[in-house]
Amino acid sequence: MTPSCERVARAFRRGLSSYHAEARVQARSAARLAEMLAEQGAGPRIDRAFEFGCGTGLLTQALRARFEIGDYLSNDLLAEAAAHLSPELRPGFRAGPVERLALDGRFGLIASGATIQWIADPRALLSRLCAHLAPGGFLLLGGFGRGHFAEIAALGAPAPLSYADPEDWPELLPPGLRIAAIEARREVMGFDDLPQLLRHLRATGVTGNARAGWGRGALRAAEARWRAEHALPDGRLGLSYVSVHLVASRPE
């Protein structure tokens, strides 16, 4: 793994046991992605699907609840993610960086939720993966826009690698794909104090690109600045999520 991959892997490994319960926005995003895919005419059966960054299975479960999927191949950076899959899906699981994963054959669906923002070169990855998208197949992606976690600038913390707004996606997709539907949704979570907010971030693994810890004085100063600039009407600290959902298709 590259140093960046190793940092992300360490952060998500620490948060793996808590992710499923804490990642409430990501769970709503997964449900919305499955809904959008159905709205664009996919299914009710998908013969072969590939999901990368499956994590604890939020999108996996949302897709399988809505569609009958034959052959389901999945991937995650962490080998431990396999334990969160249903037993019948574990033989189709492959661990490691998706950039290095070899695929064969064609898929009716290539999907990912809350992962693409950690990819250093999403255009190159999607070009390689979508070479395996069957005619009439769908690409389903959930990521985050550039307003996502805007308040974290108060901490001076590094952002993930690839935030992209809806208008950015036509340039990131490989030729031959048509955007069928795309949207951005913003919601703000509230936290009583900065330690609670940071525990939420750690529990969902999203501090995987950060390098530095926080001393007590720096934490107090960051909280005071956050409260002055990003307090909610009830006085809690606000944290913005900007989810971007994309459905693209390859014409038959």
Side-chain angles (χ1 to χ4, degrees), residues 169-219:
W169 274 103
E171 296 299 319
L172 294 173
L173 295 179
L177 262 63
R178 178 185 68 88
I179 295 178
I182 191 165
E183 67 176 24
R185 294 191 169 196
R186 182 178 183 269
E187 59 182 293
V188 181
M189 295 185 69
F191 299 88
D192 295 335
D193 53 32
L194 191 51
Q196 183 188 57
L197 188 152
L198 292 176
R199 285 193 296 272
H200 167 75
L201 292 177
R202 284 194 294 270
T204 55
V206 298
T207 54
N209 207 30
R211 292 182 171 88
W214 289 92
R216 190 170 298 174
L219 192 68

Side-chain angles (χ1 to χ4, degrees), residues 39-61:
E39 289 172 351
Q40 296 306 315
R45 177 177 171 81
I46 298 170
D47 289 334
R48 195 164 187 244
F50 169 61
E51 180 189 354
F52 64 94
C54 64
T56 61
L58 292 174
L59 182 58
T60 313
Q61 293 169 15

Side-chain angles (χ1 to χ4, degrees), residues 13 35 40 49 66 89 97 101 134 145 150 163 175-176 197 209 227 229 236-237:
R13 184 171 285 114
E35 179 182 51
Q40 296 306 315
R66 192 172 281 264
L89 296 185
L101 187 70
Y163 287 156
L197 188 152
N209 207 30
R227 200 174 297 281
E229 297 178 358
R236 293 184 299 163
L237 305 179

Side-chain angles (χ1 to χ4, degrees), residues 72 74 81-94:
Y72 202 112
S74 59
H84 295 268
L85 295 172
S86 300
E88 68 272 16
L89 296 185
R90 292 174 192 168
F93 174 81
R94 303 291 182 269

Side-chain angles (χ1 to χ4, degrees), residues 62-252:
L63 289 171
R64 295 184 78 217
R66 192 172 281 264
F67 302 97
E68 179 189 353
I69 302 178
D71 183 16
Y72 202 112
L73 178 67
S74 59
N75 153 266
D76 195 81
L77 189 60
L78 301 180
E80 300 95 313
H84 295 268
L85 295 172
S86 300
E88 68 272 16
L89 296 185
R90 292 174 192 168
F93 174 81
R94 303 291 182 269
V98 64
E99 297 94 329
R100 302 180 190 174
L101 187 70
L103 294 179
D104 57 19
R106 296 294 184 99
F107 296 90
L109 173 65
I110 295 175
S112 182
T115 295
I116 195 70
Q117 71 273 12
W118 297 108
I119 302 299
D121 190 345
R123 183 184 289 106
L125 175 67
L126 293 175
S127 178
R128 186 175 69 82
L129 295 183
C130 288
H132 296 273
L133 191 63
F138 290 91
L139 172 68
L140 181 70
L141 291 177
F144 297 102
R146 282 192 289 270
H148 182 68
F149 286 176
E151 302 88 348
I152 288 184
L155 299 180
L161 299 167
S162 304
Y163 287 156
D165 291 334
E167 59 266 28
D168 300 321
W169 274 103
E171 296 299 319
L172 294 173
L173 295 179
L177 262 63
R178 178 185 68 88
I179 295 178
I182 191 165
E183 67 176 24
R185 294 191 169 196
R186 182 178 183 269
E187 59 182 293
V188 181
M189 295 185 69
F191 299 88
D192 295 335
D193 53 32
L194 191 51
Q196 183 188 57
L197 188 152
L198 292 176
R199 285 193 296 272
H200 167 75
L201 292 177
R202 284 194 294 270
T204 55
V206 298
T207 54
N209 207 30
R211 292 182 171 88
W214 289 92
R216 190 170 298 174
L219 192 68
R220 284 197 300 268
E223 179 170 332
R225 180 179 172 188
W226 199 306
R227 200 174 297 281
E229 297 178 358
H230 307 295
L232 299 179
D234 61 7
R236 293 184 299 163
L237 305 179
L239 181 65
S240 299
Y241 278 79
V242 180
S243 302
V244 176
H245 305 131
L246 165 74
V247 184
S249 63
R250 183 180 297 284
E252 296 191 41

